[in-house]
Each structure stands twice: as structure tokens, then as C-alpha cells.
């Protein structure tokens, strides 16, 4: 993923024989959001206005670099997550014992497949920390547009990965496992979506008042 050109990766995303899908694509969008935050921070470096926040800005840039790498890695992890589940459907189911064993393994495989999109969704909370810091620093000017775009990307990732979580979780037959995972995903999703929408609203007010 990280060593491919954008064109190569998009061609692989479009190919019916490829392994990438919406979860991986959303994770890459998350990396774009992170890099937009980093871009805004880097433009603030060296400004007299932020002389006292120079260390904070430098730390934010390093955090953004790390988050972007992690999201690109998660794009690969997500792409590989469902492959093991396909093999589990081929397990024997001639006897009741075989059917129960097969179902348990499939359920666990689906739970494992739900982990990468859930991790990507949670990772966007760290990305929102970066945008919130920029708003606290009272960054102004046309560069605020990039904060807004980054937050739009962030919300898209949160919503996209929730869908990917749901698809896997809803296919789990074991009720307790399914319900526990669904509750955790729902609570995380609603908390993060509300936060993102608040940050977007604040950013849009700044843009309209500039």
C-alpha cells in the first residue's frame, strides 16, 4: 500500500480481481484527513503568533505522521481480514458436532473481520484531536477550508467503517457475541460522529465569519 502510486492503488481498487474494498478505501481517506491536519500545522511553524506553541505544533506534526502510517497499514489489514472467513465456510458440516464447530469458527472469524474497521473508526478520534488543536490555536484564513475538508473526510471514514463493522457483526449467529460487538460499535460510532459534527460546525462558522 505505502509503496504504491496513487494510480496503481486506485486501479487495484477498481479491479474485480483485487482484494481492496470500501473499508480499505475509507482508511486511506482517513490518512488524507490526517495529512491535511499536518499540512495546516506545518504552515503555522515559525509564525510569531505561535512562538509559545512551537513545541505543541511540532508534536502534533509527528503525531499526524504516525497516524497516517497507521491508517495506511490498517487499509492493508482490513483488505486481508475477510479472507480467512471464506475458508471457514468450506469446513465439514455432515454431523451436528461438525456444524456447531464450523459455526463457532465462522462467528469468531466474522468477529475478527470486524476488528480492522472498528480500529480504523476509533483511530479517527486521534485525528479529530489534531483538528481540535488547530481550532483551539485559532488558525484563521483560507487554510481553515482545509480543516473543513479534513473533517468531512473524517466523518466519511467514521460512517464508512461503521457500515463495515455492521456487515460482519450482523452475520454472527451467536447472540451474546453479536450483541456485545454491536453495542460497542454503536456507542463508539455515535460518540465519534457527534464530536466530528460539532467540530465541523465550529469550523464552518469560522469560514462564514472570515
Amino acid at each position: 500500500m505505502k509503496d504504491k502510486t496513487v494510480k496503481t492503488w486506485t486501479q487495484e481498487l477498481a479491479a474485480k480481481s483485487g482484494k481492496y474494498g470500501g473499508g480499505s478505501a475509507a482508511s486511506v481517506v482517513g490518512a488524507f484527513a490526517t495529512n491535511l491536519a499536518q499540512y495546516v500545522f506545518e504552515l503555522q511553524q515559525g509564525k510569531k503568533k505561535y512562538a509559545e506553541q512551537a513545541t505543541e505544533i511540532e508534536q502534533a506534526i509527528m503525531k499526524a505522521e504516525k497516524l497516517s502510517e497507521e491508517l495506511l497499514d490498517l487499509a492493508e489489514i482490513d483488505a486481508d481480514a475477510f479472507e480467512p472467513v471464506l475458508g471457514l465456510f468450506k469446513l465439514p458440516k455432515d454431523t451436528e458436532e461438525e456444524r456447531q464447530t464450523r459455526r463457532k469458527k465462522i462467528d469468531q472469524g466474522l468477529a475478527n473481520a470486524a476488528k480492522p474497521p472498528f480500529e480504523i473508526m476509533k483511530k479517527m478520534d486521534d485525528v479529530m484531536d489534531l483538528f481540535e488543536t488547530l481550532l483551539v490555536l485559532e488558525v484563521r484564513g483560507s487554510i481553515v477550508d482545509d480543516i473543513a475538508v479534513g473533517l468531512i473526510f473524517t466523518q466519511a471514514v467514521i460512517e464508512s467503517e461503521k457500515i463495515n463493522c455492521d456487515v460482519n457483526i450482523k452475520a454472527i449467529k451467536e447472540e451474546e457475541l453479536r450483541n456485545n460487538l454491536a453495542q460497542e460499535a454503536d456507542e463508539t460510532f455515535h460518540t465519534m460522529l457527534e464530536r466530528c459534527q460539532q467540530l465541523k460546525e465550529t469550523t464552518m462558522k469560522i469560514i462564514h465569519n472570515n
Side-chain angles (χ1 to χ4, degrees), residues 111 114-115 118-119 121-122 162 165-166 169 176-192:
K115 288 180 181 179
F118 185 63
E119 289 303 314
M121 183 167 62
K122 289 197 300 181
K162 176 57 163 57
C165 286
D166 288 347
I169 293 171
E176 183 177 1
L177 176 61
R178 183 180 67 246
N179 290 343
N180 287 341
L181 291 174
Q183 181 178 353
E184 186 177 14
D186 286 346
E187 290 175 353
T188 301
F189 170 71
H190 290 300
T191 299
M192 293 186 62

Side-chain angles (χ1 to χ4, degrees), residues 41 52-62 133-134 136-137:
F41 275 115
E52 294 183 2
Q53 289 83 26
T55 300
E56 181 182 7
I57 290 172
E58 181 62 33
Q59 290 174 342
I61 290 170
M62 290 188 291
T133 298
L134 288 168
V136 170
L137 288 172

Side-chain angles (χ1 to χ4, degrees), residues 102-172:
R102 176 178 176 273
R103 189 64 246 179
K104 286 181 181 179
K105 289 185 176 181
I106 290 173
D107 281 351
Q108 189 55 57
L110 289 165
N112 292 339
K115 288 180 181 179
F118 185 63
E119 289 303 314
I120 294 165
M121 183 167 62
K122 289 197 300 181
K123 191 70 68 178
M124 300 313 293
D125 208 34
D126 294 326
V127 178
M128 285 190 284
D129 287 343
L130 295 173
F131 287 116
E132 185 168 10
T133 298
L134 288 168
L135 294 175
V136 170
L137 288 172
E138 297 185 350
V139 173
R140 293 295 184 268
S142 61
I143 197 68
V144 179
D145 295 8
D146 294 284
I147 297 176
V149 172
L151 287 167
I152 290 169
F153 285 178
T154 298
Q155 181 169 335
V157 176
I158 294 168
E159 294 180 345
S160 299
E161 298 303 354
K162 176 57 163 57
I163 292 170
N164 281 277
C165 286
D166 288 347
V167 166
N168 290 296
I169 293 171
K170 288 180 178 179
I172 295 172

Side-chain angles (χ1 to χ4, degrees), residues 81-90 106 108-113 168:
F82 195 74
E83 189 66 30
V85 182
L86 297 176
L88 296 174
F89 283 103
K90 299 176 183 178
I106 290 173
Q108 189 55 57
L110 289 165
N112 292 339
N168 290 296

Side-chain angles (χ1 to χ4, degrees), residues 11-21:
Q11 288 174 334
E12 290 185 20
L13 180 63
K16 65 179 181 180
S17 59
K19 68 176 183 177
Y20 300 111

